[in-house]
Amino acid sequence: MRPIVGPVPDSGVHPAGGMDEITAQLAAGRVAVLTGAGISTESGIPDYRGVTGRHRRHSPMTYQDFVSDEANRRRYWARGYVGRRAIAGARPNSGHHAVQALRASGHVDAVITQNVDGLHQAAGTTDAVALHGSLDRVVCLDCGVVGPRDELDARLLDANGEFLAAHAAAGLRVNPDGDIELPDDLVDTFRVVPCPRCGGVLKPYVVFFGENVPKHRVERCFDLIDAADSLLVLGSSLAVLSGLRFVRRAAKDGKPVAIVNLGPTRADGIADARVAMPLGEALAELTRRLDVR
């Protein structure tokens, strides 16, 4: 993924289709759904580029910055250590539950999410493909072992004493990757712990900006897009290629593409239907029209 700072420019092309077209698309079945950060904003997790992400002061951590600089890793883990409490405490909202209801009723065939918060899985969509990984696990960059994030957090608590209790209120904005704003002088006091197996560098089991999505995961998502008859994008500006390529694949194959997102997206010019409204509201309307509960 490449980091893209700032709003997604308006394409100037706006499909005429709306809720009627998306309702018909879902009624026909075999729909693949691609979700982004916008579906989790109603769970208290802001997005990167939409309404809740406009005041973010720092760009997301890149893979190159993380692996090349110990100070960057300290900053990431200190801020993520505090910020993850908000992510871990978030609960699925009506949008996540609506997607699962559509999945269970057979209207939706597959769910791919760009989010790392695990909320689709918590809502019951256990087979949702987490394109960018999950914050609830960590991986060692040296020995490759993957382990639970809770175990790492316990070790960080042991190493940092009352850092969490003393500074949990210092950061006010939690970002979709679990990052939270913390003053630099607090970050400098944070102690990072190594891999318990080999002493190597630990990284969250997520795809950072500048890092490639694992090939097998990309291929799995393409298979799901190819098996579907249409694609519905929910809450994503499609600002990075990792998600946009699936939209382009569906459009190239002549499959209807619909988008529900409050702001402009990079696929507005190829979408067959486009709705700009809050996802909770839109999905509630769609499930009502389809008599899905």
Side-chain angles (χ1 to χ4, degrees):
M1 295 191 299
R2 300 184 183 91
I4 298 177
V5 179
V8 175
D10 193 322
S11 67
V13 180
H14 302 278
M19 293 295 283
D20 289 344
E21 287 75 11
I22 298 175
T23 301
Q25 177 179 341
L26 287 165
R30 298 181 61 83
V31 178
V33 168
L34 172 66
T35 70
I39 200 167
S40 292
T41 57
E42 293 175 38
S43 292
I45 303 174
D47 58 11
Y48 281 120
R49 301 170 185 85
V51 174
T52 61
R54 289 175 183 166
H55 303 295
R56 180 180 178 128
R57 292 181 297 167
H58 299 282
S59 298
M61 178 72 70
T62 68
Y63 179 76
Q64 291 76 14
D65 287 342
F66 185 88
V67 299
S68 65
D69 193 312
E70 182 179 355
N72 285 338
R73 292 194 290 274
R74 180 183 301 109
R75 175 167 63 89
Y76 177 87
W77 284 119
R79 290 159 49 145
Y81 174 65
V82 177
R84 183 173 179 258
R85 269 59 193 176
I87 300 288
R91 296 292 178 263
N93 61 54
S94 60
H96 298 105
H97 289 297
V99 169
Q100 169 54 17
L102 291 166
R103 179 83 173 91
S105 65
H107 294 87
V108 167
D109 245 20
V111 178
I112 302 166
T113 183
Q114 299 172 93
N115 300 339
V116 296
D117 52 36
L119 293 180
H120 277 298
Q121 291 81 358
T125 313
T126 56
D127 60 350
V129 179
L131 181 64
H132 297 151
S134 175
L135 280 173
D136 64 2
R137 293 187 288 170
V138 295
V139 60
C140 177
L141 295 180
D142 293 88
C143 68
V145 167
V146 177
R149 177 70 176 267
D150 287 343
E151 288 184 6
L152 172 63
D153 281 352
R155 295 175 60 221
L156 289 173
L157 179 60
D158 288 342
N160 291 278
E162 298 303 316
F163 185 94
L164 175 62
H167 307 308
L172 299 179
R173 291 195 56 80
V174 181
N175 297 303
D177 55 2
D179 184 35
I180 195 168
E181 311 295 350
L182 283 178
D184 289 341
D185 59 334
L186 297 183
V187 170
D188 291 342
T189 68
F190 192 78
R191 294 180 59 196
V192 178
V193 298
C195 170
R197 176 178 175 177
C198 74
V201 173
L202 293 175
K203 172 186 170 292
Y205 196 61
V206 300
V207 178
F208 279 13
F209 287 94
E211 183 179 8
N212 292 326
V213 179
K215 183 178 179 181
H216 69 88
R217 204 177 297 160
V218 174
E219 291 175 347
R220 170 62 176 155
C221 292
F222 274 128
D223 287 344
L224 294 175
I225 298 298
D226 291 345
D229 288 339
S230 65
L231 176 63
L232 174 60
V233 179
L234 300 174
S236 177
S237 62
L238 300 168
V240 292
L241 180 61
S242 61
L244 180 60
R245 57 185 156 190
F246 303 122
V247 180
R248 289 175 172 170
R249 173 73 154 250
K252 177 177 176 293
D253 291 344
K255 297 177 180 181
V257 173
I259 300 174
V260 182
N261 192 63
L262 276 175
T265 83
R266 292 188 185 274
D268 285 350
I270 60 175
D272 299 285
R274 178 73 166 87
V275 171
M277 62 190 298
L279 280 175
E281 179 183 340
L283 285 165
E285 171 66 12
L286 288 168
T287 55
R288 183 194 66 77
R289 290 182 177 207
L290 295 164
D291 194 28
V292 171
R293 294 175 176 81

